[in-house]
């Protein structure tokens, strides 16, 4: 088995620096704030058909990925993206715009973080010295609203506290992030840049510069990072990480109506994008919000049209929070990745009902085509790790952790998981409600 270092590519794909994968070039689009218009979504669907294989992914950082692009068609795709204002000046400027913002920014909550997120992206692009940041180094801005980003990982975090009218600043991940005090809304950009520069400066003095802030925290401590960034050392209390939201179906938030439609395992087709664009214009505001939970949110829908929305999306999207597919995370598998050796999507579908029995809410099972665990890097109750066309089973860990059973085909894996679910149900005196 490869080590973590051998799996790691050390960079992330973009539009200007696509990654060669099994089904062609993977072109990742960093959509600022995760906000996209219906017309832009329709144009991307057409681009996916014309220059790719008609498939797209909605990533865990609210990015869209076009799949199956050929080298010969890449210049035409770039011209299309440029016309849509979705392409950067150069690959470095593109890579540094790694900012995740609350998906309902400006629509709910007490503060609109949209302008802050856009200002941070612009500042990162303008700060040429920060273009040396590792490709996965990311920033997060949470408006403190209902759809919390508390469970999402980021190297530098800002989470709004209404009581203090300030952002809690923390660094180093998600659940394990360490608080560094608070900052005013108008200080978020400066604080983010200072922490990024401290990361580069302190990391450069190490024998092997870290790739993520968590590694730097482990090496020198959060206090040294805060001092290097010119911040006062005043630990903050941040919102506790919890199970990731499931923004599926009708939601009433702050008196406004929203509808969420899930992309099974994050996979979208061009036809699904067309369908989403049409629904947004017919039933909503003509705008779509991308989320890190592999779902699209349609703002300002008419509550009277909820049944119509469900019917519109039912064939291809997830529209019910009881859908068993929400219990499983799966990567693209052998059809999309040279390292994967199993058909992860088909296997995940076969195991979805069992996964729902294993855990009432949230992701219970991660079906990974290899030990890299791209679809869900964080621990899950159960993880199936593809190896030579079969699976190893990890309990309460990640795809890289020790397995308790090996060399399982999908049927054997299903029987083992079903037995575990049954034992759990017996212990609790009946089936999970």
């Amino acid at each position: 088995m490869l080590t973590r270092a051998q799996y790691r590519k050390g960079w992330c794909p973009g539009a200007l620096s696509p990654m060669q994968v099994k089904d062609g070039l993977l072109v990742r689009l960093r959509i600022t704030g995760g906000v996209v218009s219906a017309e832009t979504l329709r144009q991307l669907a057409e681009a996916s058909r014309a220059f790719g294989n008609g498939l797209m992914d909605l990533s865990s950082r609210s990015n869209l990925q076009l799949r199956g692009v050929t080298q010969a068609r890449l210049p035409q795709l770039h011209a299309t993206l440029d016309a849509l204002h979705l392409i950067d000046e150069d690959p470095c400027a593109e890579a540094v715009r790694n900012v995740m913002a609350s998906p309902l920014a400006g629509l709910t909550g007490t503060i609109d973080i949209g302008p802050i997120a856009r200002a941070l992206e612009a500042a990162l692009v303008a700060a040429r010295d920060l273009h040396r940041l590792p490709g996965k180094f990311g920033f997060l801005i949470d408006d403190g609203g209902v759809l919390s980003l508390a469970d999402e990982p980021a190297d530098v975090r800002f989470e709004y506290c209404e009581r203090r009218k300030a952002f809690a600043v923390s660094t180093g991940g998600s659940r394990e992030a360490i608080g560094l005090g608070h900052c005013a809304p108008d200080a978020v950009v400066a604080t983010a840049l200072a922490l990024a520069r401290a990361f580069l400066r302190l990391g450069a003095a190490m024998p092997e510069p870290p790739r993520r802030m968590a590694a730097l925290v482990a090496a020198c401590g959060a206090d040294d990072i805060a001092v290097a960034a010119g911040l006062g050392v005043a630990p903050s209390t941040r919102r506790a990480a919890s199970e990731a939201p499931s923004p599926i179906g009708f939601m009433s938030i702050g008196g406004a109506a929203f509808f969420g439609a899930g992309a099974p395992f994050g996979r979208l087709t061009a036809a699904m994008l067309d369908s989403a664009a049409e629904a947004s214009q017919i039933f909503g505001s003509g705008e779509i919000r991308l989320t890190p939970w592999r779902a699209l949110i349609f703002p300002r829908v008419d509550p009277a049209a909820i049944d119509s929305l469900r019917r519109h999306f039912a064939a291809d999207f997830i529209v019910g929070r009881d859908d068993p597919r929400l219990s499983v995370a799966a990567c693209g598998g052998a059809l999309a990745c040279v390292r994967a050796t199993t058909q992860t999507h088909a296997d995940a579908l076969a195991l979805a009902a069992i996964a729902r029995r294993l855990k009432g809410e949230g992701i219970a099972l991660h079906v990974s085509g290899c030990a890299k665990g791209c679809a869900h890097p964080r621990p899950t109750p159960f993880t199936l790790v593809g190896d030579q066309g079969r699976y190893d089973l990890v309990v309460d860990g990640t795809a890289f952790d020790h397995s308790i059973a090996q060399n399982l085909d999908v049927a054997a894996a299903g029987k083992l998981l079903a037995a575990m679910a049954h034992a759990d149900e017996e212990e609790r005196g009946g089936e999970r409600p």
Side-chain angles (χ1 to χ4, degrees), residues 59-395:
S59 81
S60 61
R61 291 198 66 82
S62 308
N63 296 317
L64 283 174
Q65 300 179 160
L66 283 79
R67 306 196 66 95
V69 177
T70 64
Q71 195 68 48
R73 293 175 177 171
L74 190 59
Q76 296 169 285
L77 174 60
H78 282 166
T80 298
L81 296 176
D82 189 31
L84 293 173
H85 307 290
L86 292 177
I87 205 160
D88 290 89
E89 182 178 319
D90 58 61
C92 291
E94 175 182 65
V96 81
R97 286 196 307 105
N98 198 2
V99 180
M100 182 188 295
S102 295
L104 298 184
L107 301 176
T108 64
T110 57
I111 185 172
D112 182 2
I113 62 166
I116 301 174
R118 292 191 292 272
L120 178 54
E121 282 199 1
L124 289 167
V125 171
R128 309 294 291 189
D129 60 314
L130 295 183
H131 292 191
R132 295 182 290 115
L133 286 170
K136 294 183 182 297
F137 192 96
F139 303 82
L140 180 150
I141 307 175
D142 189 339
D143 64 6
V146 175
L147 298 183
S148 171
L149 296 176
D151 193 52
E152 304 307 313
D155 296 275
V156 178
R157 313 176 62 89
F158 298 90
E159 296 166 273
Y160 190 66
C161 174
E162 169 61 19
R163 181 178 60 83
R164 297 184 65 124
K165 307 296 183 186
F167 285 90
V169 184
S170 59
T171 187
S174 55
R175 289 181 172 90
E176 71 281 10
I178 297 175
L180 298 178
H182 292 82
C183 75
D186 61 2
V188 167
V189 173
T191 302
L193 300 188
L195 285 167
R197 290 190 170 107
F199 171 83
L200 290 175
R201 186 163 61 254
L202 294 174
M206 297 171 61
E208 183 178 350
R211 294 176 180 270
R212 304 302 298 271
M213 188 67 93
L216 184 64
V217 171
C220 65
D223 287 0
D224 285 357
I225 296 171
V227 170
L231 305 179
V233 181
S236 59
T237 301
R238 52 184 297 267
R239 181 156 46 161
S242 57
E243 190 67 53
S246 179
I248 301 297
F250 174 71
M251 295 170 284
S252 179
I253 305 173
F258 301 83
F259 190 85
F265 315 123
R267 178 58 51 83
L268 294 158
T269 65
M272 290 169 72
L273 262 64
D274 281 333
S275 176
E278 180 184 21
S280 179
Q281 291 180 319
I282 294 175
F283 303 110
S285 63
E287 180 181 272
I288 300 97
R289 299 295 179 100
L290 312 179
T291 79
W293 310 294
R294 296 186 168 93
L296 307 177
I297 294 180
F298 300 84
R300 302 189 182 97
V301 297
D302 180 358
I306 297 304
D307 288 341
S308 297
L309 274 162
R310 288 197 182 98
R311 288 193 295 270
H312 181 90
F313 285 117
D316 298 311
F317 288 84
I318 296 172
V319 295
R321 295 177 190 175
D322 59 348
D323 192 305
R325 290 173 291 181
L326 293 174
S327 299
V328 190
C331 64
L335 296 177
C337 178
V338 294
R339 289 199 174 110
T341 62
T342 58
Q343 304 298 330
T344 52
H345 284 191
D347 294 343
L349 281 173
L351 298 171
I354 298 172
R356 176 46 64 95
R357 290 174 57 197
L358 291 166
K359 184 179 179 183
E361 294 181 348
I363 294 175
L365 175 65
H366 174 196
V367 181
S368 182
C370 73
K372 190 177 180 183
C374 294
H376 197 79
R378 300 186 291 284
T380 48
F382 301 92
T383 301
L384 289 173
V385 185
D387 185 17
Q388 302 300 314
R390 299 171 82 84
Y391 289 105
D392 299 338
L393 176 63
V394 176
V395 176

